[in-house]
Amino acid sequence: MKKTEAIVVKHTGSHYLLTVPPGWNLFPAVLRGRMRQKGSSSTNPVAVGDRVMFDLPDGKDTASGLPDTENPAVITEILPRKNYMIRRSANLSRQSHIIAANVDMAFIVVTVDFPEVKLPFLDRILVTCEVYGIPATIVLNKCDLYGPGHRETVEAFHSIYEGAGYPVMDVSAATGAGTEELRKACTDRVCLFSGVSGVGKSSLIKALDPSLDPRTGEISQSHLQGRHTTTFYEMYRLASGGYIIDTPGIRGFGLVDLGREEIALYFPEMLRVSGDCRFTPCTHTHEPGCAVKAAVEAGTISFERYSSYLGMLEEEQKYR
Ligand code: GDP
Ligand code: ZN
């Protein structure tokens, strides 16, 4: 039997939905029995975004008829992941949940006003992306609302994050400004969309593809599943090409706990200069000859990013 490669679009609990790229014809699949044992620390051995090999049930092929829930395809192999993001279970057990695999880009949707972005929070998300090896782009939404009074704030925001090495895209889901660039940036990629409630993430996804409506789709019903049930993430295909995975709010994002010495490794602009610190390891706080502190004083590393770093360091110490 011919083996075919597919991408996992959704996990419903009882089965997975697969599609064979670049098409978008969803069909159900189950895991071959013995594969369920593997990856036991995770509640889901197969995640949205996983590339898998599958066998078709007898009498079916992707041309003459897709598998159905009675006769699902069988996932025989999970192909190596280029990256994945996990979320530990709320009950502090060792169990973890893989949010998504093989993510090409995380788009972090923020607003400088309505609501005002909390930079330490944004920096925590960016650190998480670095830890998981997922490139991040910041999407500054609601640009139509930023008048002359916001100009300085918007410019400072660009300077802080572009200076740290993250692209910042100005968009407006309301007017469509910048959405064509965003659509292009999503093409041929698996993209994670994240952002706190109210920033316009749903509006933006709808602006990228009017046939998608995250607010009325199954995503918005995830809160009905209750706190302690697993949230099932889902991948959507943009009509213009590319796949998006909507991660609702902070609960849907796999924030990490890092050791004291590790944190600075995930601030790219700090990592770039820390080789020049006089002491190794250097916490970049009180040590003489610290290249990071020198860069903050010189303004090449932003004070805001450095403050977030100090905040994360302090938080880490509290739990020691
Ligand atoms: P979500 O919680 O991030 O999914 O945010 P929504 O998409 O539900 O949007 C929150 C509110 O912001 C709604 O009232 C939207 O109409 C509004 N909104 C979203 N995007 C924009 C935008 O680009 N400009 C303006 N002016 N309002 C927006
Ligand atoms: Zn240092």
Side-chain angles (χ1 to χ4, degrees):
M1 190 182 290
K2 191 168 137 280
K3 296 244 183 206
T4 318
E5 189 182 323
I7 187 164
V8 178
V9 164
K10 188 178 178 175
H11 179 201
T12 66
S14 62
H15 60 265
Y16 297 90
L17 286 181
L18 310 184
T19 189
V20 178
W24 190 252
N25 287 306
L26 310 191
F27 59 90
V30 293
L31 276 186
R32 194 163 66 188
R34 66 179 177 80
M35 289 184 67
R36 287 194 200 114
Q37 322 300 326
K38 288 208 284 181
S40 55
S41 73
S42 154
T43 52
N44 57 333
V46 178
V48 169
D50 259 325
R51 294 186 163 267
V52 298
M53 301 301 283
F54 68 92
D55 283 340
L56 286 164
D58 289 335
K60 299 273 186 186
D61 64 57
T62 39
S64 75
L66 290 168
D68 50 49
T69 36
E70 236 91 286
N71 295 290
V74 178
I75 296 171
T76 56
E77 188 186 349
I78 304 165
L79 300 177
R81 292 174 179 140
K82 80 168 185 180
N83 60 29
Y84 59 92
M85 181 171 278
I86 62 174
R87 190 190 66 195
R88 239 157 286 155
S89 297
N91 58 15
L92 297 176
S93 69
R94 290 215 168 263
Q95 291 248 304
S96 59
H97 183 81
I98 304 171
I99 295 170
N102 302 317
V103 180
D104 295 307
M105 180 68 76
F107 290 98
I108 320 295
V109 185
V110 299
T111 41
V112 294
D113 205 351
F114 324 108
E116 182 188 346
V117 61
K118 302 280 179 281
L119 300 191
F121 173 78
L122 171 58
D123 291 328
R124 210 164 230 293
I125 289 186
L126 293 172
V127 162
T128 302
C129 289
E130 297 291 340
V131 170
Y132 290 120
I134 300 174
T137 292
I138 299 167
V139 180
L140 186 54
N141 190 33
K142 306 200 187 183
C143 279
D144 57 294
L145 296 180
Y146 308 144
H150 290 96
R151 200 171 140 194
E152 243 175 74
T153 315
V154 170
E155 279 175 5
F157 185 85
H158 270 267
S159 146
I160 293 167
Y161 288 98
E162 285 166 354
Y166 297 102
V168 179
M169 302 179 79
D170 292 305
V171 305
S172 165
T175 67
T179 52
E180 192 47 47
E181 285 80 2
L182 183 56
R183 209 177 279 121
K184 270 192 206 126
C186 293
T187 309
D188 301 328
R189 283 175 162 164
V190 173
C191 304
L192 212 61
F193 270 73
S194 185
V196 297
S197 166
V199 295
K201 179 165 56 75
S202 315
S203 308
L204 204 52
I205 291 172
K206 203 164 158 49
L208 292 177
D209 183 341
S211 74
L212 303 177
D213 195 347
R215 270 166 301 190
T216 58
E218 297 200 47
I219 296 174
S220 60
Q221 286 164 30
S222 60
H223 68 279
L224 299 174
Q225 294 173 358
R227 244 164 212 286
H228 300 291
T229 4
T230 309
T231 311
F232 295 115
Y233 298 96
E234 185 170 1
M235 185 183 273
Y236 296 87
R237 190 178 64 157
L238 294 173
S240 51
Y243 304 91
I244 59 174
I245 302 165
D246 188 9
T247 56
I250 176 76
R251 273 217 304 138
F253 213 79
L255 295 182
V256 287
D257 296 317
L258 294 172
R260 204 177 151 63
E261 318 74 30
E262 284 181 295
I263 301 170
L265 302 175
Y266 302 108
F267 280 77
E269 73 276 46
M270 291 176 51
L271 181 63
R272 239 174 271 139
V273 299
S274 57
D276 296 332
C277 292
R278 192 178 303 160
F279 295 99
T280 320
C282 180
T283 63
H284 320 303
T285 53
H286 60 278
E287 296 88 344
C290 171
V292 169
K293 277 204 297 175
V296 174
E297 268 151 44
T300 51
I301 287 180
S302 87
F303 177 72
E304 288 83 356
R305 291 271 296 166
Y306 182 63
S307 298
S308 291
Y309 166 71
L310 293 181
M312 287 183 72
L313 209 58
E314 213 168 276
E315 220 168 277
E316 198 278 331
Q317 253 158 333
K318 254 193 278 178
Y319 295 112
R320 302 221 112 204

